[in-house]
Amino acid sequence: MYLIRLALASLANRRFTAWLTVFAIALSVCLLLAVERIRTETRSSFASTISGTDLIVGARSGSINLLLYSVFRLGNATNNIRWTSFEHFAQHPQVQWAVPLSLGDSHHGYRVLGTSEDYFNHYQYSRKKHLALAQGRFFTDQAPFEVVLGAEVANALD
């Protein structure tokens, strides 16, 4: 009993130091939990960004650069592969579907993605959600000079 009273008296004499220690420990635990939460959410978000896709094939470059530009449109465009190379991979017996992406062009500062109508059929994001349009329709391979604009570009360029 004497030791408990002595400990409490010592703690009372060092109130500021004790409070500062408790605050520092609480802050450390909160930061640790926040970093862990951000890490798991980032991993989950990254994994579900392009769902249903097992492989991205591109010209020689860094694999991270190819992934970031083809999926997230971040960074610099990589070189394109030849159309015959795309057809070679698309006709492989283990390939169920293939979508060509031609990257690197821009129009009035907005990035352009050249692709086929298979992009709208197969591209899924965030836990298997398909792309949707606010208005209009997707282009088809029979009309090669049609475009689909994002809402930001459509508003900016009227």
Side-chain angles (χ1 to χ4, degrees), residues 29-50:
V29 169
C30 287
L31 285 174
L32 179 69
L33 292 174
V35 166
E36 180 61 23
R37 174 69 184 235
I38 289 171
R39 186 186 70 81
T40 56
E41 289 298 319
T42 302
R43 178 175 285 174
S44 171
S45 175
F46 189 78
S48 69
T49 297
I50 182 166

Side-chain angles (χ1 to χ4, degrees), residues 69 77-78 80 99-105 112-115:
Y69 197 78
T78 60
N80 292 324
V99 177
L101 301 177
S102 180
L103 307 165
D105 292 332
V112 173
L113 167 67
T115 188

Side-chain angles (χ1 to χ4, degrees), residues 55-78:
L55 180 66
I56 298 173
V57 178
R60 288 184 198 210
S61 72
S63 57
I64 299 292
N65 186 31
L66 177 64
L67 174 71
L68 288 176
Y69 197 78
S70 63
V71 175
F72 300 104
R73 309 294 185 267
L74 298 172
N76 298 321
T78 60

Side-chain angles (χ1 to χ4, degrees), residues 73-101:
R73 309 294 185 267
L74 298 172
N76 298 321
T78 60
N79 293 327
N80 292 324
I81 61 174
R82 290 183 306 238
W83 184 251
T84 55
S85 298
F86 169 76
E87 289 176 328
H88 171 75
F89 288 115
Q91 293 169 359
H92 194 279
Q94 292 180 326
V95 174
Q96 290 181 351
W97 55 270
V99 177
L101 301 177

